[in-house]
Amino acid sequence: MGRGRGSKSGRRGPARSRRLPGLTGTVRVYDARAEVETAEGVYRLGARSMREAMPGDRVYVSLHRGRGGQRRAVVEHVIDRAVAAIVGVFEPAGPLGAVRPLDARIKQDFFVLPSDDSPARLGVEPGDIVSARIVEYPSRTESGVVTLERRIGDANEPSLGIECIMARYGLADGYPQAAIDEAETLRVDVDEALKDPLRRDIRDRFLLTIDPVDARDFDDAISVARTVRGGWMLGVHIADVSHYVAWESAVDLEARRRSTSVYLADRVLPMLPERLCNDLCSLRPQEDRLAFTVDIELDAQGRVHAYEAYPSLIRSRVRMDYGAADALLAGACEPQGAEKGTVGRSDNSDTAVDVMREDARKAQGADEGAVRHVSDTGGAVGAPEENRHADEATLRRAAEAAHTARQCGVDLVQFLKNADALASARREIRRKRGSIDFETPEVHVLLDDTGLPVDIVTRERSAATSLVEEAMLLANECVAEFLSDRDLTAAYRVHEEPSPDTLAVAAKTLVELGAIDGGLAVGIMAGEPRAMAAAVADAHGTPYAPLVNALLLRAQQRAVYRSENGGHYALGARAYCHFTSPIRRYPDLIVHRVLKVALAKRELGKRQAAQRVPQLIGTGAQSLVQICPQLCRQASALERDADTAASASQKVKVAQYFAGRMGERYAGSISWISDMGAFVRLDGTGAEGLVRMASLGNEWWDYDDIRLRLVGESTGTVIELGQRVVVEVAGVNVLRGHLDLKLIHVEGGVR
């Protein structure tokens, strides 16, 4: 360990650890940490504890209790390998070839043997990016061996970073011709659809869609009205994908293989062919569309009185965007400024675990959302010329939507206010039951027509996205309750309680930092969701907010799909599923199919219901009932990959954006501390970079993993979470999506 190139642990003297019984689990590697997920909980893996394991591997670990009683894991051996291929940079290494993985989570280099002619056969040159298949995995004594399968390109191609991410996660751009051909034969047949005794014609009802301004598909619509008792009648109408996609059809098998749409920074990789997602299943205004409706009656406090689900025939009357809806809710008479616009929403509302990061992704790249324009120096600025034009366009769209609604005899402003009041009531109900809503910044890079980044914006919630979010969340809960009460096999969304160990560490750190008091800490360590929700609420608007949200979020387990109901801890929901987006999530399509069969049995009897089973859920060994657990496991894994790929693609474009800003200085805050150094979130853009240990100066730095801070042994300088800093762009690695920063000024002294 050299001066300025490493850290010392905050402990003094040799560490004592007590070995505990071993467990099996799955390795998860993130930017600054590695973990193993086991049936008993999630445990940290030190850098040397990974050994030969790679991300996603199933491993056997031993547990050791260290300082403060915290349990850490050490990989003893790998049970199953998850990584079969890597993407990396090819370089000569004497008689061998070497492939250095671009995925920073993979620490091992791999070699190409002299007898392997794949580099010459593929025309690979030094520095080229290649896809390589692993022939021999690395061990504790031997390096890994690969053979090259594809030359991806050279490092100067603008889209190479995204292509590498796609290759890394096995993502395909394009759709198989057989599925495309099958989709092209489909059409909307209203007369035929209405022959189904379950389907109701509700085209006379006023309903609308609210989506991002640049959305191309609209798969959910809402209708809402006040009742005579002061409550609400809410209708949630979802595109009826299951009407078109038969079990084990070509489209179904491809959608099953993909499991989810993937939203990369420069493109969307859809789960369904364009004929379905952008046409037949898009609830475009003034067009007849087949849907699945959930009508929900609520009292004046927002409590559910009754609900009913059924296939429907609808006609959306107005196509709204979030910015226009917010403008109408705010009065629609004044421009909303640079901070108004569309805001990310999450119709799955896995607010504690998935951070609203995957359920509203219909626009290109990431969650739709209102953006706050920022200057190149990282500070918030007034509305630029193009944003003023956007505001005028937003107001014009709002006025046009209101006019269209008036022609239907509907006051659109009052409609939105009713929905907004309902959303407020539902948020209060969720708050009382302990639902946790984490606040997390969402970075989104804006690209020009060539795919080059031109700006970085942050996304925030607004009234418009909240009212849609609450409607979708409620529909999901009602459908899950219906299925669970009948013990039906389906794709439930399950979120389990966090492990006591991870909660204890988070609570202790927050107390040490002064972010929470002892009373809240006790509740958090006991796993009380209300205590966590209170901590997040108390921190809102304070300098502690990022710390509280980050630490408690990291303590959560990830929500997964399961074939039986297990409840949703973070939402405080007895049952939860994804119903509201079958256009881009296969589990939602599963739920639609199971719900249709259940409704047919209830309304038409077992004999007629049985006639629908082959098309909806299949029969025999490959029926949904038989393979649902497998489909749920696959969906959970592919969702994780899709989220990771989407995040990585944004980081690639962030690095590309700052590649032309070397030496520029920005203000920001310390967002995380690890033994790698200090992560800094830049003001305005929300982009995050790393100040590495090696750049901190000529002294030893003690890394305190409890208080999450670095302390200079000679100067006593403290670098800790939330601290204000000024940094300089010191380097970028576009292909890896890394942004390296140099610390110029830290709160409390100049570096």
Short mmCIF file of all heavy atoms in Angstrom, two decimals, residues 23-30 33-45 50 53-61 73 75 77-83 105 557-558 560 633 636-637 640-641:
data_model
loop_
_atom_site.label_atom_id
_atom_site.label_comp_id
_atom_site.label_asym_id
_atom_site.label_seq_id
_atom_site.Cartn_x
_atom_site.Cartn_y
_atom_site.Cartn_z
N LEU A 23 -23.22 -21.05 3.68
CA LEU A 23 -24.47 -20.93 2.96
C LEU A 23 -24.19 -20.96 1.46
O LEU A 23 -23.06 -20.72 1.02
CB LEU A 23 -25.18 -19.62 3.31
CG LEU A 23 -25.64 -19.39 4.75
CD1 LEU A 23 -26.06 -17.94 4.93
CD2 LEU A 23 -26.79 -20.32 5.11
N THR A 24 -25.22 -21.21 0.68
CA THR A 24 -25.13 -21.05 -0.77
C THR A 24 -25.87 -19.79 -1.15
O THR A 24 -26.85 -19.40 -0.51
CB THR A 24 -25.74 -22.25 -1.51
OG1 THR A 24 -27.12 -22.39 -1.14
CG2 THR A 24 -24.98 -23.53 -1.18
N GLY A 25 -25.40 -19.13 -2.20
CA GLY A 25 -26.03 -17.89 -2.63
C GLY A 25 -25.53 -17.46 -3.99
O GLY A 25 -24.74 -18.16 -4.64
N THR A 26 -25.99 -16.29 -4.42
CA THR A 26 -25.65 -15.74 -5.73
C THR A 26 -24.83 -14.47 -5.55
O THR A 26 -25.19 -13.59 -4.77
CB THR A 26 -26.92 -15.43 -6.54
OG1 THR A 26 -27.69 -16.63 -6.67
CG2 THR A 26 -26.57 -14.91 -7.92
N VAL A 27 -23.74 -14.37 -6.29
CA VAL A 27 -22.85 -13.21 -6.20
C VAL A 27 -23.43 -12.05 -6.99
O VAL A 27 -23.82 -12.21 -8.15
CB VAL A 27 -21.45 -13.56 -6.73
CG1 VAL A 27 -20.58 -12.31 -6.81
CG2 VAL A 27 -20.80 -14.62 -5.85
N ARG A 28 -23.50 -10.89 -6.36
CA ARG A 28 -23.91 -9.66 -7.02
C ARG A 28 -22.80 -8.64 -6.85
O ARG A 28 -22.35 -8.40 -5.73
CB ARG A 28 -25.21 -9.09 -6.43
CG ARG A 28 -26.39 -10.05 -6.43
CD ARG A 28 -26.81 -10.44 -7.82
NE ARG A 28 -27.97 -11.34 -7.81
CZ ARG A 28 -28.35 -12.06 -8.85
NH1 ARG A 28 -27.68 -12.00 -9.99
NH2 ARG A 28 -29.39 -12.86 -8.76
N VAL A 29 -22.35 -8.05 -7.95
CA VAL A 29 -21.25 -7.09 -7.90
C VAL A 29 -21.75 -5.76 -8.43
O VAL A 29 -22.36 -5.68 -9.50
CB VAL A 29 -20.04 -7.57 -8.72
CG1 VAL A 29 -18.89 -6.59 -8.61
CG2 VAL A 29 -19.61 -8.95 -8.25
N TYR A 30 -21.48 -4.69 -7.67
CA TYR A 30 -21.87 -3.34 -8.04
C TYR A 30 -20.60 -2.50 -8.18
O TYR A 30 -19.49 -3.00 -8.04
CB TYR A 30 -22.83 -2.76 -7.01
CG TYR A 30 -24.02 -3.65 -6.75
CD1 TYR A 30 -24.00 -4.57 -5.70
CD2 TYR A 30 -25.13 -3.61 -7.57
CE1 TYR A 30 -25.08 -5.41 -5.47
CE2 TYR A 30 -26.21 -4.45 -7.35
CZ TYR A 30 -26.19 -5.35 -6.30
OH TYR A 30 -27.26 -6.19 -6.08
N ARG A 33 -19.13 -2.30 -4.45
CA ARG A 33 -19.29 -3.34 -3.45
C ARG A 33 -19.68 -4.66 -4.12
O ARG A 33 -20.17 -4.67 -5.26
CB ARG A 33 -20.35 -2.95 -2.42
CG ARG A 33 -21.78 -2.99 -2.93
CD ARG A 33 -22.74 -2.36 -1.94
NE ARG A 33 -24.12 -2.65 -2.23
CZ ARG A 33 -24.83 -2.06 -3.19
NH1 ARG A 33 -24.27 -1.15 -3.95
NH2 ARG A 33 -26.10 -2.36 -3.38
N ALA A 34 -19.46 -5.74 -3.40
CA ALA A 34 -19.89 -7.06 -3.84
C ALA A 34 -20.66 -7.70 -2.70
O ALA A 34 -20.35 -7.49 -1.52
CB ALA A 34 -18.69 -7.92 -4.22
N GLU A 35 -21.68 -8.47 -3.05
CA GLU A 35 -22.54 -9.11 -2.06
C GLU A 35 -22.85 -10.53 -2.52
O GLU A 35 -22.68 -10.87 -3.69
CB GLU A 35 -23.86 -8.35 -1.90
CG GLU A 35 -23.72 -6.91 -1.47
CD GLU A 35 -25.04 -6.17 -1.52
OE1 GLU A 35 -25.96 -6.63 -2.23
OE2 GLU A 35 -25.14 -5.11 -0.87
N VAL A 36 -23.31 -11.33 -1.58
CA VAL A 36 -23.84 -12.64 -1.91
C VAL A 36 -25.25 -12.72 -1.35
O VAL A 36 -25.48 -12.44 -0.17
CB VAL A 36 -22.95 -13.79 -1.38
CG1 VAL A 36 -22.78 -13.72 0.12
CG2 VAL A 36 -23.52 -15.14 -1.82
N GLU A 37 -26.20 -13.02 -2.21
CA GLU A 37 -27.60 -13.16 -1.81
C GLU A 37 -27.85 -14.60 -1.43
O GLU A 37 -27.67 -15.51 -2.25
CB GLU A 37 -28.54 -12.75 -2.93
CG GLU A 37 -28.50 -11.28 -3.28
CD GLU A 37 -29.48 -10.95 -4.40
OE1 GLU A 37 -30.14 -11.89 -4.91
OE2 GLU A 37 -29.58 -9.77 -4.77
N THR A 38 -28.28 -14.83 -0.20
CA THR A 38 -28.59 -16.18 0.27
C THR A 38 -30.00 -16.22 0.80
O THR A 38 -30.65 -15.19 0.96
CB THR A 38 -27.61 -16.60 1.39
OG1 THR A 38 -27.97 -15.94 2.61
CG2 THR A 38 -26.17 -16.26 1.03
N ALA A 39 -30.46 -17.42 1.12
CA ALA A 39 -31.79 -17.57 1.70
C ALA A 39 -31.87 -16.93 3.08
O ALA A 39 -32.95 -16.59 3.56
CB ALA A 39 -32.17 -19.05 1.78
N GLU A 40 -30.71 -16.75 3.71
CA GLU A 40 -30.66 -16.17 5.06
C GLU A 40 -30.50 -14.66 5.05
O GLU A 40 -30.61 -14.01 6.08
CB GLU A 40 -29.51 -16.80 5.85
CG GLU A 40 -29.59 -18.30 5.99
CD GLU A 40 -30.79 -18.73 6.81
OE1 GLU A 40 -31.11 -18.03 7.79
OE2 GLU A 40 -31.41 -19.75 6.48
N GLY A 41 -30.19 -14.09 3.90
CA GLY A 41 -29.98 -12.65 3.82
C GLY A 41 -28.87 -12.32 2.84
O GLY A 41 -28.35 -13.19 2.12
N VAL A 42 -28.50 -11.04 2.79
CA VAL A 42 -27.48 -10.54 1.89
C VAL A 42 -26.25 -10.18 2.72
O VAL A 42 -26.34 -9.48 3.72
CB VAL A 42 -27.97 -9.30 1.12
CG1 VAL A 42 -26.87 -8.79 0.19
CG2 VAL A 42 -29.22 -9.64 0.32
N TYR A 43 -25.06 -10.66 2.29
CA TYR A 43 -23.83 -10.44 3.04
C TYR A 43 -22.77 -9.83 2.14
O TYR A 43 -22.65 -10.19 0.95
CB TYR A 43 -23.33 -11.76 3.64
CG TYR A 43 -24.35 -12.43 4.51
CD1 TYR A 43 -25.16 -13.45 4.00
CD2 TYR A 43 -24.55 -12.03 5.83
CE1 TYR A 43 -26.12 -14.06 4.78
CE2 TYR A 43 -25.52 -12.64 6.62
CZ TYR A 43 -26.30 -13.65 6.10
OH TYR A 43 -27.26 -14.24 6.88
N ARG A 44 -21.97 -8.94 2.72
CA ARG A 44 -20.90 -8.28 1.97
C ARG A 44 -19.77 -9.27 1.67
O ARG A 44 -19.46 -10.15 2.46
CB ARG A 44 -20.33 -7.11 2.78
CG ARG A 44 -21.22 -5.88 2.82
CD ARG A 44 -21.25 -5.15 1.49
NE ARG A 44 -19.92 -4.71 1.08
CZ ARG A 44 -19.38 -3.54 1.42
NH1 ARG A 44 -20.06 -2.70 2.21
NH2 ARG A 44 -18.19 -3.19 1.00
N LEU A 45 -19.16 -9.05 0.49
CA LEU A 45 -17.97 -9.79 0.09
C LEU A 45 -16.83 -8.79 -0.04
O LEU A 45 -16.95 -7.80 -0.77
CB LEU A 45 -18.18 -10.50 -1.25
CG LEU A 45 -19.01 -11.78 -1.26
CD1 LEU A 45 -19.40 -12.11 -2.70
CD2 LEU A 45 -18.24 -12.93 -0.65
N MET A 50 -13.89 -12.57 -2.94
CA MET A 50 -14.53 -13.04 -4.17
C MET A 50 -13.82 -14.26 -4.74
O MET A 50 -14.45 -15.13 -5.34
CB MET A 50 -14.50 -11.92 -5.22
CG MET A 50 -15.53 -10.85 -5.00
SD MET A 50 -17.12 -11.32 -5.69
CE MET A 50 -16.76 -11.33 -7.43
N ALA A 53 -14.78 -16.23 -8.09
CA ALA A 53 -16.20 -16.03 -8.42
C ALA A 53 -16.37 -14.82 -9.33
O ALA A 53 -15.59 -13.87 -9.29
CB ALA A 53 -17.03 -15.86 -7.16
N MET A 54 -17.44 -14.88 -10.14
CA MET A 54 -17.78 -13.80 -11.05
C MET A 54 -19.23 -13.40 -10.81
O MET A 54 -20.00 -14.14 -10.18
CB MET A 54 -17.56 -14.26 -12.50
CG MET A 54 -16.11 -14.62 -12.80
SD MET A 54 -15.90 -15.48 -14.38
CE MET A 54 -16.33 -14.18 -15.52
N PRO A 55 -19.65 -12.21 -11.30
CA PRO A 55 -21.02 -11.75 -11.07
C PRO A 55 -22.06 -12.77 -11.53
O PRO A 55 -21.97 -13.31 -12.63
CB PRO A 55 -21.11 -10.47 -11.91
CG PRO A 55 -19.70 -9.99 -12.00
CD PRO A 55 -18.86 -11.22 -12.05
N GLY A 56 -23.04 -13.02 -10.68
CA GLY A 56 -24.12 -13.94 -11.01
C GLY A 56 -23.85 -15.38 -10.67
O GLY A 56 -24.77 -16.21 -10.71
N ASP A 57 -22.60 -15.73 -10.34
CA ASP A 57 -22.28 -17.12 -10.01
C ASP A 57 -23.01 -17.57 -8.75
O ASP A 57 -23.21 -16.79 -7.82
CB ASP A 57 -20.78 -17.29 -9.77
CG ASP A 57 -19.97 -17.27 -11.06
OD1 ASP A 57 -20.59 -17.27 -12.13
OD2 ASP A 57 -18.73 -17.25 -10.97
N ARG A 58 -23.41 -18.83 -8.75
CA ARG A 58 -23.94 -19.43 -7.53
C ARG A 58 -22.77 -20.06 -6.79
O ARG A 58 -22.01 -20.85 -7.36
CB ARG A 58 -25.01 -20.47 -7.85
CG ARG A 58 -25.71 -21.03 -6.61
CD ARG A 58 -27.11 -21.50 -6.90
NE ARG A 58 -27.78 -21.94 -5.70
CZ ARG A 58 -28.36 -21.13 -4.81
NH1 ARG A 58 -28.33 -19.83 -5.00
NH2 ARG A 58 -28.95 -21.61 -3.74
N VAL A 59 -22.63 -19.69 -5.53
CA VAL A 59 -21.42 -20.05 -4.79
C VAL A 59 -21.76 -20.60 -3.42
O VAL A 59 -22.87 -20.41 -2.90
CB VAL A 59 -20.49 -18.82 -4.63
CG1 VAL A 59 -20.00 -18.32 -5.97
CG2 VAL A 59 -21.20 -17.70 -3.86
N TYR A 60 -20.77 -21.29 -2.85
CA TYR A 60 -20.84 -21.68 -1.44
C TYR A 60 -19.90 -20.74 -0.69
O TYR A 60 -18.74 -20.56 -1.06
CB TYR A 60 -20.40 -23.13 -1.24
CG TYR A 60 -20.42 -23.56 0.22
CD1 TYR A 60 -21.61 -23.95 0.82
CD2 TYR A 60 -19.26 -23.54 0.98
CE1 TYR A 60 -21.64 -24.33 2.15
CE2 TYR A 60 -19.28 -23.92 2.31
CZ TYR A 60 -20.47 -24.31 2.90
OH TYR A 60 -20.51 -24.67 4.22
N VAL A 61 -20.43 -20.11 0.35
CA VAL A 61 -19.64 -19.14 1.12
C VAL A 61 -19.59 -19.55 2.58
O VAL A 61 -20.50 -20.20 3.10
CB VAL A 61 -20.22 -17.71 1.01
CG1 VAL A 61 -20.19 -17.22 -0.41
CG2 VAL A 61 -21.65 -17.65 1.57
N ALA A 73 -18.99 -12.46 4.15
CA ALA A 73 -18.92 -13.75 3.47
C ALA A 73 -17.60 -13.89 2.72
O ALA A 73 -17.03 -12.90 2.25
CB ALA A 73 -20.09 -13.90 2.50
N VAL A 75 -16.06 -16.49 -0.39
CA VAL A 75 -16.37 -17.55 -1.34
C VAL A 75 -15.43 -18.73 -1.12
O VAL A 75 -14.20 -18.57 -1.13
CB VAL A 75 -16.25 -17.04 -2.79
CG1 VAL A 75 -16.40 -18.19 -3.78
CG2 VAL A 75 -17.30 -15.97 -3.06
N HIS A 77 -16.16 -21.96 -2.84
CA HIS A 77 -16.08 -22.52 -4.18
C HIS A 77 -17.31 -22.14 -4.98
O HIS A 77 -18.35 -21.78 -4.42
CB HIS A 77 -15.88 -24.04 -4.18
CG HIS A 77 -17.04 -24.80 -3.60
ND1 HIS A 77 -17.11 -25.16 -2.28
CD2 HIS A 77 -18.19 -25.26 -4.16
CE1 HIS A 77 -18.23 -25.82 -2.04
NE2 HIS A 77 -18.90 -25.89 -3.18
N VAL A 78 -17.19 -22.20 -6.32
CA VAL A 78 -18.28 -21.86 -7.23
C VAL A 78 -19.08 -23.12 -7.54
O VAL A 78 -18.52 -24.16 -7.89
CB VAL A 78 -17.73 -21.25 -8.54
CG1 VAL A 78 -18.87 -20.99 -9.52
CG2 VAL A 78 -16.98 -19.96 -8.24
N ILE A 79 -20.41 -23.02 -7.40
CA ILE A 79 -21.29 -24.15 -7.69
C ILE A 79 -21.72 -24.13 -9.15
O ILE A 79 -21.60 -25.13 -9.87
CB ILE A 79 -22.53 -24.10 -6.77
CG1 ILE A 79 -22.10 -24.17 -5.29
CG2 ILE A 79 -23.50 -25.24 -7.11
CD1 ILE A 79 -23.24 -23.92 -4.33
N ASP A 80 -22.26 -22.99 -9.61
CA ASP A 80 -22.70 -22.84 -11.00
C ASP A 80 -22.21 -21.51 -11.54
O ASP A 80 -22.26 -20.49 -10.85
CB ASP A 80 -24.24 -22.88 -11.10
CG ASP A 80 -24.81 -24.24 -10.78
OD1 ASP A 80 -24.31 -25.22 -11.35
OD2 ASP A 80 -25.74 -24.32 -9.96
N ARG A 81 -21.75 -21.53 -12.79
CA ARG A 81 -21.28 -20.32 -13.45
C ARG A 81 -22.42 -19.60 -14.16
O ARG A 81 -23.27 -20.24 -14.80
CB ARG A 81 -20.20 -20.66 -14.47
CG ARG A 81 -18.90 -21.15 -13.85
CD ARG A 81 -18.16 -20.01 -13.17
NE ARG A 81 -16.83 -20.41 -12.70
CZ ARG A 81 -15.99 -19.57 -12.14
NH1 ARG A 81 -16.32 -18.30 -11.97
NH2 ARG A 81 -14.81 -20.00 -11.72
N ALA A 82 -22.44 -18.27 -14.05
CA ALA A 82 -23.48 -17.47 -14.71
C ALA A 82 -22.96 -16.80 -15.97
O ALA A 82 -23.72 -16.48 -16.87
CB ALA A 82 -24.01 -16.41 -13.75
N VAL A 83 -21.66 -16.55 -16.03
CA VAL A 83 -21.07 -15.83 -17.16
C VAL A 83 -20.46 -16.84 -18.12
O VAL A 83 -19.54 -17.58 -17.76
CB VAL A 83 -19.99 -14.83 -16.68
CG1 VAL A 83 -19.38 -14.10 -17.87
CG2 VAL A 83 -20.59 -13.85 -15.68
N ARG A 105 -16.93 -5.17 -13.18
CA ARG A 105 -17.24 -6.11 -12.10
C ARG A 105 -16.43 -7.39 -12.21
O ARG A 105 -16.27 -8.12 -11.23
CB ARG A 105 -18.74 -6.43 -12.11
CG ARG A 105 -19.65 -5.23 -11.95
CD ARG A 105 -21.11 -5.65 -12.12
NE ARG A 105 -21.31 -6.32 -13.38
CZ ARG A 105 -22.36 -7.10 -13.67
NH1 ARG A 105 -23.28 -7.31 -12.75
NH2 ARG A 105 -22.48 -7.67 -14.85
N GLN A 557 -33.98 -5.89 0.26
CA GLN A 557 -33.89 -6.96 -0.72
C GLN A 557 -34.57 -6.50 -2.00
O GLN A 557 -35.34 -5.54 -2.01
CB GLN A 557 -34.55 -8.23 -0.19
CG GLN A 557 -33.86 -8.79 1.05
CD GLN A 557 -34.10 -10.28 1.20
OE1 GLN A 557 -33.83 -11.05 0.30
NE2 GLN A 557 -34.58 -10.69 2.36
N ARG A 558 -34.28 -7.19 -3.05
CA ARG A 558 -34.87 -6.82 -4.34
C ARG A 558 -36.18 -7.57 -4.54
O ARG A 558 -36.28 -8.76 -4.22
CB ARG A 558 -33.91 -7.16 -5.47
CG ARG A 558 -34.40 -6.70 -6.84
CD ARG A 558 -33.42 -7.09 -7.93
NE ARG A 558 -33.93 -6.71 -9.24
CZ ARG A 558 -33.61 -5.59 -9.87
NH1 ARG A 558 -32.79 -4.74 -9.31
NH2 ARG A 558 -34.12 -5.32 -11.06
N VAL A 560 -38.92 -9.63 -6.46
CA VAL A 560 -38.79 -10.68 -7.48
C VAL A 560 -40.18 -11.18 -7.85
O VAL A 560 -41.18 -10.88 -7.19
CB VAL A 560 -37.93 -11.85 -6.97
CG1 VAL A 560 -36.51 -11.41 -6.71
CG2 VAL A 560 -38.54 -12.47 -5.72
N ARG A 633 -38.62 -17.11 -12.21
CA ARG A 633 -37.18 -16.99 -11.94
C ARG A 633 -36.47 -16.33 -13.12
O ARG A 633 -35.61 -15.46 -12.94
CB ARG A 633 -36.58 -18.38 -11.68
CG ARG A 633 -36.94 -18.97 -10.33
CD ARG A 633 -36.08 -20.19 -10.02
NE ARG A 633 -36.28 -21.27 -10.96
CZ ARG A 633 -37.20 -22.22 -10.83
NH1 ARG A 633 -38.02 -22.21 -9.78
NH2 ARG A 633 -37.32 -23.19 -11.72
N SER A 636 -37.27 -12.57 -13.23
CA SER A 636 -36.54 -11.83 -12.20
C SER A 636 -35.10 -11.58 -12.64
O SER A 636 -34.56 -10.49 -12.47
CB SER A 636 -36.56 -12.59 -10.87
OG SER A 636 -37.88 -12.74 -10.39
N ALA A 637 -34.47 -12.62 -13.20
CA ALA A 637 -33.08 -12.49 -13.62
C ALA A 637 -32.95 -11.55 -14.81
O ALA A 637 -32.04 -10.70 -14.84
CB ALA A 637 -32.52 -13.87 -13.98
N ARG A 640 -33.37 -7.93 -13.84
CA ARG A 640 -32.14 -7.41 -13.24
C ARG A 640 -31.13 -7.03 -14.32
O ARG A 640 -30.51 -5.97 -14.27
CB ARG A 640 -31.54 -8.46 -12.30
CG ARG A 640 -30.33 -7.97 -11.53
CD ARG A 640 -29.65 -9.13 -10.81
NE ARG A 640 -30.52 -9.72 -9.81
CZ ARG A 640 -30.61 -9.28 -8.55
NH1 ARG A 640 -29.89 -8.24 -8.17
NH2 ARG A 640 -31.40 -9.88 -7.69
N ASP A 641 -30.97 -7.91 -15.31
CA ASP A 641 -30.05 -7.60 -16.40
C ASP A 641 -30.49 -6.36 -17.18
O ASP A 641 -29.66 -5.53 -17.56
CB ASP A 641 -29.96 -8.79 -17.36
CG ASP A 641 -29.16 -9.95 -16.78
OD1 ASP A 641 -28.49 -9.76 -15.75
OD2 ASP A 641 -29.23 -11.06 -17.35
#
